[in-house]
């Protein structure tokens, strides 16, 4: 397994980085990396942001709203949590 270093706390960059790793890097060996986001709400690929999130609340508190390329529910991130990604190809 290879380890990638990602020191960004920008949620827009981090979601784009996830997509780049998944779609562009050769995955002959699985990849692992840790990352953090500044205050943000990350929503799943098929979620309706207006139905799931109070947009005005996010704006008044400078909380980013970012969509990820995978499914799942809305989650809040800040520098108090550590995230991880493992990416590989199935046989």
């Amino acid at each position: 397994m290879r380890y990638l270093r990602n020191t960004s706390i920008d949620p827009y960059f981090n979601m784009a980085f996830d997509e780049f790793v998944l779609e562009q890097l050769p995955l002959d060996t699985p990849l692992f990396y840790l990352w953090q986001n500044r205050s943000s709400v990350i929503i799943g690929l098929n979620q309706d942001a207006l139905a799931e999130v109070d947009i005005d609340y996010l704006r008044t508190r400078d909380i980013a709203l970012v969509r990820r390329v995978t499914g799942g529910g809305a989650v809040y991130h800040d520098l108090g949590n550590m995230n991880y990604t493992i990416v590989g190809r199935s046989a």
Side-chain angles (χ1 to χ4, degrees):
M1 181 172 291
R2 291 185 297 162
Y3 174 74
L4 296 178
R5 186 168 180 194
N6 179 5
T7 60
S8 171
I9 61 168
D10 180 334
Y12 301 104
F13 175 87
N14 289 336
M15 293 301 101
F17 186 73
D18 265 1
E19 185 174 4
F20 174 80
V21 168
L22 181 62
E23 295 182 0
Q24 301 298 322
L25 290 185
L27 296 174
D28 49 329
T29 302
L31 302 173
F32 167 78
Y33 50 97
L34 300 170
W35 50 280
Q36 290 179 294
N37 283 333
R38 68 174 177 83
S39 294
S40 54
V41 172
I42 312 300
I43 59 173
L45 178 65
N46 299 309
Q47 284 190 284
D48 178 354
L50 296 177
E52 298 286 336
V53 179
D54 183 343
I55 304 295
D56 291 332
Y57 181 89
L58 298 185
R59 282 189 187 129
T60 61
R61 287 160 178 81
D62 194 31
I63 299 171
L65 176 62
V66 185
R67 186 177 301 278
R68 65 179 172 275
V69 297
T70 58
V75 292
Y76 176 76
H77 288 188
D78 63 18
L79 296 177
N81 68 300
M82 179 68 69
N83 304 292
Y84 68 92
T85 299
I86 299 172
V87 181
R89 299 272 184 237
S90 61

